[in-house]
Amino acid sequence: MSTRLGTTITKKIMEEQRQFPGAKGDFSGMLYELVVALKVIAYEVNKAGLMNILGQAGTTNVQGEIQQKLDVFANTTIIHKMDHTGYLCGMASEEVEGIIEIADKHPQGGKYVLLFDPLDGSTNIDVNVSIGTIFSIYKKKSNNPKCAMEDFLQPGSNLLAAGYAVYGSSTMFVYSTGLGVHGFTLDPGVGEFILSHPNIKSPPKGRIYSVNEGNRAYWDDRMKKMVGYFTDEDEATGRPYSSRYIGSLVADFHRNLMLGGIFMYPPDRKSPGGKLRLMYEAIPLAFIAEQAGGGAVNANGERILEIQPESLHQRTPLFIGSKEEVEISKRFLAGG
Ligand code: P6P
């Protein structure tokens, strides 16, 4: 449906469905339901300052992190919006230890699995910094009547779709089904996501590097040399780069996706395996980055989308963004 405001997400999803001749609409229906959940979360996030929904829920998640009330709300909203649709055989959340089964009272036999980080960057909630929701969708691969762990532990190269919502100065929904990256901005008056950034392509070379330099003392020499490269002066290669780091992955990633640059969460002595989660953060954002012409690797220079996951909550170092900066980071990571 095109409104006076432009192309709605409903229309875009239908357009993309028509490019899959065998599609029966289940996948589109699942995306519709997920978008509704994101609208509900956006509504609560945007009024959090006015309600007693800020602050901590007093519980901790599987990561041992204190859960913010909005964290819990976002997690519950997605689960309750998606569990009765019949599209999913199961879900996995960054906030929950194991697989979230579809209760027997709900339609069974869903063909897809949904993984999500319900509210990433939630420690920033109380200080009004942009936060986000990240999701991935795979096709079920096991023959189990219910879901099995193998349905979730799939490499990003198997992804059917991934994306995120960023709750900032406006609410945006950015996703890809493998046919490019499309950005939608929520019109709060209409309550619809309107196509505002069709076919997003990251600049092949950026001017921004994003890393928590407070961890410098814990980096190895490769990282110190890499960040030194980005901060050295060299007019011919457009250096020094600008340092931009919000501490909210979705916000940092989205800025670099649009403007170009690189986001890095390296391994360090505090987090030898990195801090970010492979399934809930690195893989979905790597899918978006590559669809937009960029790239994403781990500290061995390996493509994130080719990593075979071993556990739901495993962490990974992450170097993600414009093609040229990812290649530069690979060179330093290889000891160059
Ligand atoms: P640090 C937020 O807690 C988060 O998971 C990401 O959103 C963000 O990129 C990262 O951690 C920030 O971590 O160690 O720099 O505060």
Side-chain angles (χ1 to χ4, degrees):
M1 169 184 75
S2 290
T3 70
R4 61 182 173 76
L5 294 168
T7 300
T8 62
I9 191 160
T10 308
K11 179 174 185 291
K12 189 65 184 172
I13 291 172
M14 284 313 295
E15 279 175 3
E16 293 205 325
Q17 178 182 314
R18 283 194 280 273
Q19 299 189 51
F20 297 90
K24 296 202 308 290
D26 282 4
F27 187 74
S28 298
M30 180 174 49
L31 278 179
Y32 296 145
E33 292 293 331
L34 181 60
V35 165
V36 173
L38 297 178
K39 287 182 188 176
V40 171
I41 295 168
Y43 180 72
E44 289 301 327
V45 166
N46 290 332
K47 71 174 188 179
L50 304 172
M51 308 281 289
N52 177 30
I53 198 164
L54 288 177
Q56 297 171 10
T59 52
T60 56
N61 63 15
V62 65
Q63 319 288 345
E65 297 163 340
I66 295 173
Q67 285 184 304
Q68 304 282 348
K69 287 179 182 175
L70 269 175
D71 259 345
V72 177
F73 173 81
N75 191 56
T76 306
T77 297
I78 294 174
I79 293 170
H80 289 173
K81 274 285 170 207
M82 300 305 290
D83 64 2
H84 60 282
T85 59
Y87 300 128
L88 299 171
C89 74
M91 294 178 258
S93 167
E94 191 227 29
E95 300 287 339
V96 176
E97 174 80 32
I99 294 173
I100 301 165
E101 299 263 355
I102 302 300
D104 292 338
K105 66 183 177 182
H106 296 315
Q108 299 294 307
K111 296 183 297 184
Y112 304 103
V113 295
L114 170 69
L115 295 93
F116 57 94
D117 182 352
L119 208 56
D120 181 81
S122 52
T123 49
N124 293 299
I125 290 172
D126 291 350
V127 293
N128 203 22
V129 166
S130 298
I131 51 183
T133 301
I134 311 171
F135 74 92
S136 306
I137 298 171
Y138 292 95
K139 192 164 176 62
K140 177 178 186 315
K141 61 183 277 193
S142 73
N143 296 320
N144 271 36
K146 292 268 190 183
C147 267
M149 188 56 80
E150 70 179 283
D151 296 315
F152 295 87
L153 300 182
Q154 300 189 51
S157 52
N158 289 1
L159 275 174
L160 291 181
Y164 57 88
V166 51
Y167 312 109
S169 51
S170 62
T171 295
M172 277 197 72
F173 176 65
V174 177
Y175 86 106
S176 176
T177 60
L179 299 174
V181 178
H182 306 295
F184 299 79
T185 301
L186 183 64
D187 178 326
V190 178
E192 266 292 358
F193 278 109
I194 307 299
L195 183 62
S196 52
H197 300 76
N199 203 25
I200 296 172
K201 289 296 179 194
S202 273
K205 175 179 170 23
R207 292 291 316 277
I208 292 170
Y209 78 98
S210 306
V211 68
N212 183 345
E213 301 205 47
N215 292 327
R216 181 180 186 80
Y218 308 116
W219 294 344
D220 63 23
D221 286 343
R222 298 175 305 168
M223 271 312 297
K224 290 174 181 172
K225 285 178 185 168
M226 186 194 306
V227 174
Y229 172 86
F230 288 124
T231 52
D232 282 349
E233 185 176 4
D234 176 62
E235 196 174 337
T237 51
R239 291 184 286 150
Y241 282 50
S242 294
S243 172
R244 293 288 183 275
Y245 192 77
I246 299 172
S248 183
L249 175 60
V250 174
D252 277 316
F253 174 81
H254 182 72
R255 180 203 52 242
N256 292 4
L257 177 78
M258 302 306 291
L259 300 181
I262 186 165
F263 173 93
M264 303 173 273
Y265 208 103
D268 62 34
R269 278 190 287 116
K270 281 194 307 179
S271 318
K275 172 182 182 182
L276 301 178
R277 286 80 176 188
L278 176 65
M279 299 311 297
Y280 303 107
E281 293 162 324
I283 284 178
L285 296 184
F287 183 71
I288 295 292
E290 289 200 5
Q291 283 289 312
V297 297
N298 63 12
N300 302 324
E302 295 159 337
R303 191 171 163 244
I304 291 288
L305 295 185
E306 288 175 357
I307 295 172
Q308 174 52 54
E310 293 169 5
S311 67
L312 275 182
H313 296 281
Q314 76 183 73
R315 298 173 190 259
T316 178
L318 180 63
F319 299 80
I320 188 169
S322 294
K323 195 171 187 62
E324 179 155 336
E325 278 74 34
V326 169
E327 289 305 313
I328 291 168
S329 66
K330 283 168 69 175
R331 195 171 71 234
F332 283 97
L333 290 165

